[in-house]
Amino acid sequence: MSLNKNRVVVAMSGGVDSSTCAYLLKKQGYEVIGITMQIWQDPSEDYTYREGGCCSIGAVYDARKVAEKLGIPYYVLNFKEEFNQKVIEYFIEEYVRGRTPNPCIACNRYIKFEALLHKAMEIDAYYLATGHYTRIEYDVVSGRYLLKKAVDKSKDQSYALYNLTQDQLEHLLMPLGYFTKSQIRDIAKEAGLPVAEKPDSQEICFVNDDYKEFLKEKASGRIKPGPIVDKNGRILGQHKGIAFYTIGQRRGLGISAGKPLYVVDIDRKRNAVVVGEEKDLLTQEFTADQVNWIAFDALTEKKRVLAKIRYNFDEKPAEIMPLNSGMVKVVFDEPQKSVTPGQSVVFYDGDVVLGGGIISERIR
């Protein structure tokens, strides 16, 4: 397929980042087309404007205003079915299984960089661009595209993009990775973009305030109460459903033990929430599956890395080693708190993202 290398689709969420991304690329001479993904499931639901909200009806209004200001074509495309299947159903299923999902990573993997990239190519665009703070660079030595941390480390979003493939990276532009957030705000103001002062989006886009209420509505028949137990199996109380608890949780346990207790494990087979002291949250070894590598094709031997187990955690020194079926064993130099099945672990070599996977099981 012959694609237009000057044409770029920008995923516009109505926020300052994606809007400034569109502005920068137009300024560089690209033929820019703005697209917002329509993912809300039910017109009767409250998907109207929320402060900083992503992909809401209000976000479409803001994105359209920016497109008019820039003089670029703008469209809203329906990704409702894909989003429901790949993000919402996954979100519910993981919590029901007693795991803690990351819906933004699932959305990036299946919606933005699969479904939307495919749509971009259908309209002859060689590139899809987003407002992510990360850098994509081609390494002539390895002959591979590399994903690197953003210049602004406080805004770096490389953790959420570890699933990108070489084929996808070739067709992606992420210009914000070379700027700080304050610079992007300044550029938006100078360009007169109507969203220059708009707050950043923080919440899960399809959940209003409380994910527990969302789960009660969507999966009520699959969530059952059960025991809260200590490490020795002694029953201390009752939980409302393992879907409502996550590793490291301290509040909302509804039990009194004379000392702080934390959720240290979730036992799906027994439908039990296991609690313990803060020291019981420490884990040094775990396995990861659904692994994707960016910097090389496959892990064939032990390797020293920096490993990051949550978006807002610092990466820590570790050794990784290949296991059967493409899985990876991770051994931290020092035990880490709240290693959580369902969350992602991402491996770095300095600023370079080597790859990542889903935390599957902690090794005691």
Side-chain angles (χ1 to χ4, degrees), residues 270-340:
R270 291 191 295 163
N271 190 36
V273 172
V274 183
V275 297
E277 299 177 49
E278 188 172 13
K279 65 180 181 179
D280 299 319
L281 289 171
L282 295 173
T283 303
Q284 191 157 5
E285 303 180 22
F286 64 92
T287 57
D289 57 16
Q290 302 179 50
V291 179
N292 178 67
W293 300 110
I294 295 176
F296 41 79
D297 286 333
L299 183 70
T300 58
E301 58 186 6
K302 292 181 180 179
K303 187 173 183 63
R304 295 288 303 171
V305 299
L306 294 171
K308 184 171 184 173
I309 57 171
R310 289 277 181 111
Y311 177 77
N312 57 353
F313 281 24
D314 293 331
E315 56 263 29
K316 299 295 183 181
E319 183 175 75
I320 57 175
M321 56 203 74
L323 300 174
N324 294 333
S325 304
M327 293 180 66
V328 170
K329 181 179 179 181
V330 182
V331 181
F332 281 114
D333 288 4
E334 298 180 359
Q336 300 298 314
K337 284 179 65 175
S338 303
V339 173
T340 306

Side-chain angles (χ1 to χ4, degrees), residues 2-138:
S2 178
L3 301 172
N4 184 346
K5 287 200 170 185
N6 194 52
R7 182 174 296 167
V8 54
V9 164
V10 176
M12 299 184 70
S13 66
V16 63
D17 294 331
S18 59
S19 299
T20 308
C21 175
Y23 167 76
L24 289 170
L25 292 172
K26 185 181 181 187
K27 193 175 179 182
Q28 291 174 24
Y30 285 99
E31 176 193 348
V32 176
I33 299 169
I35 288 180
T36 296
M37 300 182 296
Q38 186 254 297
I39 52 93
W40 51 91
Q41 301 296 301
D42 184 345
S44 67
E45 293 180 19
D46 183 17
Y47 279 96
T48 52
Y49 188 85
R50 285 181 285 156
E51 191 72 15
C54 153
C55 299
S56 64
I57 294 172
V60 170
Y61 174 74
D62 287 341
R64 182 172 282 118
K65 285 196 299 182
V66 172
E68 289 174 357
K69 173 70 177 179
L70 297 178
I72 62 173
Y74 173 74
Y75 306 96
V76 179
L77 299 186
N78 189 337
F79 288 92
K80 172 182 173 179
E81 184 176 338
E82 295 94 331
F83 190 82
N84 181 62
Q85 179 183 352
K86 296 294 189 179
V87 181
I88 296 179
E89 289 186 5
Y90 144 81
F91 178 85
I92 295 169
E93 179 62 26
E94 286 287 87
Y95 271 119
V96 168
R97 292 174 62 198
R99 291 159 57 95
T100 303
N102 195 318
C104 292
I105 287 179
C107 181
N108 285 334
R109 178 178 182 180
Y110 295 111
I111 312 303
K112 288 189 180 77
F113 301 118
E114 282 191 11
L116 183 56
L117 178 57
H118 181 72
K119 288 290 185 183
M121 291 181 169
E122 281 185 348
I123 59 172
D124 199 30
Y126 193 87
Y127 293 110
L128 169 67
T130 68
H132 286 98
Y133 284 83
T134 189
R135 293 176 290 159
I136 298 171
E137 296 178 359
Y138 184 76

Side-chain angles (χ1 to χ4, degrees), residues 135-139 142 144-148 294-295 352:
R135 293 176 290 159
I136 298 171
E137 296 178 359
Y138 184 76
D139 179 45
S142 64
R144 300 180 73 88
Y145 289 92
L146 300 179
L147 183 70
K148 296 185 175 182
I294 295 176
V352 177

